[in-house]
């Protein structure tokens, strides 16, 4: 009697055909990195966590108070570093591998941070007695700001590498700056946004447009025509706190459920929703370059 055994061999190419996707989530004192591909249903597969309260390389005031309400997180340098801002009063640059704090600075009601050339960062300080401005810092010397410019309710920042421009979002305006000599930010353009309460600013995957969210909805700003238009195929809503899209066309976004926070991160095209119980989630970002 013969017994046949069939063995199915899965090639490494087939195994890797399901490309991994990661996204960042921030809220409370934490930043999480989630594996989208290997998560199950609505339960996120968290593969990395940074908690400011456990960051021994932060001064105590930053660790226990100034990073108590993290409101933005962005991966830079191919995902090797992460930018963090907190409305409770600080910004930071982290090393993804070990969570080491490479830079931190005091920024009143910080709502965004962006890496710019020359080993520098720009932070957005929203409404506060010493806020309503954008601030340029040298990473190696965070105690002394290089330059500031007033911007009421500063909320969003994007560096556009091809244009060599910094875009900044305020209460009702979108601005374009150039990095001038002597560490100055030179304002060269300004546009009135189609709404009030400008909140999130993100670059589109093709780098030709900016996603802009405000109190009543969200828009796409064409960097060539300088025109705003609604976003095709996106479920528009009020008070969207963060909005982004990957190269495959999938949107990631957050909408508050209670006051300014949510317990979920939502996706569209295709739709999906992850739950983060017990965490006051503010923003979520695709992680990558």
């Amino acid at each position: 009697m013969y017994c046949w055994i069939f063995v199915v061999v899965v090639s490494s190419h087939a195994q890797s055909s399901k490309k991994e996707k990661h996204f960042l989530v921030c809220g409370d004192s934490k930043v999480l990195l989630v594996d989208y591909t290997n998560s199950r249903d609505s339960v996120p597969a968290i593969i990395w966590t940074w908690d400011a309260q456990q960051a021994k390389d932060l001064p105590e005031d930053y660790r226990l108070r100034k990073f108590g309400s993290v409101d933005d997180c962005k991966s830079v340098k191919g995902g090797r570093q992460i930018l963090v801002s907190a409305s409770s009063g600080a910004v930071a640059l982290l090393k993804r591998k070990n969570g080491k704090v490479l830079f931190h600075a005091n920024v009143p009601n910080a709502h965004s941070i962006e890496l710019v050339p020359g080993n520098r960062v720009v932070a957005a300080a929203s409404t506060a007695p010493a806020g309503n401005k954008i601030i340029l810092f040298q990473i190696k010397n965070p105690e002394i700001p290089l330059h500031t410019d007033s911007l009421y309710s500063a909320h969003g920042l994007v560096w556009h590498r091809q244009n060599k421009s910094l875009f900044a979002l305020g209460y009702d305006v979108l601005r374009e700056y150039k990095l001038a000599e002597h560490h100055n930010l030179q304002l060269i353009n300004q546009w009135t946004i189609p709404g009030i309460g400008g909140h999130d600013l993100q670059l589109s995957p093709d780098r030709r447009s900016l996603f802009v969210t405000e109190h009543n909805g969200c828009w796409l700003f064409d960097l060539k025509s300088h025109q705003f238009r609604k976003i095709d195929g996106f479920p528009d809503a009020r008070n969207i706190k963060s909005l982004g899209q990957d190269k495959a066309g999938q949107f990631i976004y957050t909408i508050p459920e209670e006051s300014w926070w949510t317990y979920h991160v939502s996706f569209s095209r295709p739709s999906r929703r992850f739950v983060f119980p017990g965490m006051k989630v503010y923003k979520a970002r695709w992680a990558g370059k």
Side-chain angles (χ1 to χ4, degrees), residues 227-247:
Q227 298 296 312
F228 292 90
R229 65 173 176 84
K230 281 297 182 179
I231 303 168
D232 296 336
F234 179 74
D236 205 358
R238 290 165 60 92
N239 294 322
I240 293 174
K241 296 299 185 183
S242 64
L243 171 63
Q245 188 181 32
D246 67 4
K247 291 181 179 179

Side-chain angles (χ1 to χ4, degrees), residues 44-89:
I46 299 169
I47 57 176
W48 180 86
T49 301
W50 180 79
D51 187 344
Q53 294 185 353
Q54 305 301 320
K56 302 303 182 184
D57 48 357
L58 279 175
E60 184 177 4
D61 190 34
Y62 282 81
R63 189 171 68 249
L64 302 181
R65 185 179 68 84
K66 289 186 177 181
F67 279 103
S69 185
V70 175
D71 58 21
D72 202 359
C73 49
K74 303 175 182 178
S75 63
V76 292
K77 300 285 186 180
R80 298 187 301 275
Q81 296 178 2
I82 296 174
L83 293 163
V84 182
S85 69
S87 58
S88 37

Side-chain angles (χ1 to χ4, degrees), residues 17-35:
S17 62
K18 193 177 181 181
K19 188 176 180 180
E20 288 187 349
K21 296 201 298 185
H22 296 159
F23 65 94
L24 293 167
V25 181
C26 59
D28 300 328
S29 60
K30 300 180 179 67
V31 178
L32 312 177
L33 183 64
V34 180
D35 185 336

Side-chain angles (χ1 to χ4, degrees), residues 38-207:
N38 294 308
S39 295
R40 297 292 183 90
D41 300 321
S42 64
V43 181
I46 299 169
I47 57 176
W48 180 86
T49 301
W50 180 79
D51 187 344
Q53 294 185 353
Q54 305 301 320
K56 302 303 182 184
D57 48 357
L58 279 175
E60 184 177 4
D61 190 34
Y62 282 81
R63 189 171 68 249
L64 302 181
R65 185 179 68 84
K66 289 186 177 181
F67 279 103
S69 185
V70 175
D71 58 21
D72 202 359
C73 49
K74 303 175 182 178
S75 63
V76 292
K77 300 285 186 180
R80 298 187 301 275
Q81 296 178 2
I82 296 174
L83 293 163
V84 182
S85 69
S87 58
S88 37
V91 294
L93 176 65
L94 314 176
K95 190 173 183 179
R96 156 73 176 84
K97 185 177 180 180
N98 54 15
K100 180 181 179 181
V101 179
L102 304 174
F103 159 89
H104 68 272
N106 175 68
V107 175
N109 199 6
H111 266 73
S112 188
I113 177 174
E114 186 75 333
L115 194 66
V116 297
N119 204 33
R120 295 170 292 183
V121 298
V122 182
S126 188
T127 50
N132 294 310
K133 59 188 175 184
I134 58 173
I135 311 168
L136 178 66
F137 291 97
Q138 187 81 49
I139 290 177
K140 65 182 180 181
N141 187 20
E143 301 300 324
I144 304 174
L146 299 173
H147 183 78
T148 65
D149 191 39
S150 61
L151 177 59
Y152 179 68
S153 190
H155 259 68
L157 294 167
V158 164
W159 172 255
H160 193 277
R161 187 172 62 251
Q162 288 79 3
N163 285 11
K164 297 182 180 178
S165 293
L166 175 74
F167 291 90
L169 180 65
Y171 180 74
D172 58 3
V173 296
L174 174 65
R175 290 179 175 177
E176 181 180 6
Y177 291 87
K178 293 293 185 182
L179 291 168
E181 294 180 357
H182 308 298
H183 300 299
N184 288 331
L185 291 167
Q186 181 183 359
L187 177 63
I188 63 166
N189 276 312
Q190 180 170 296
W191 304 272
T192 300
I193 67 173
I196 57 172
H199 201 280
D200 197 29
L201 189 67
Q202 282 289 287
L203 196 59
S204 65
D206 62 10
R207 308 185 71 84

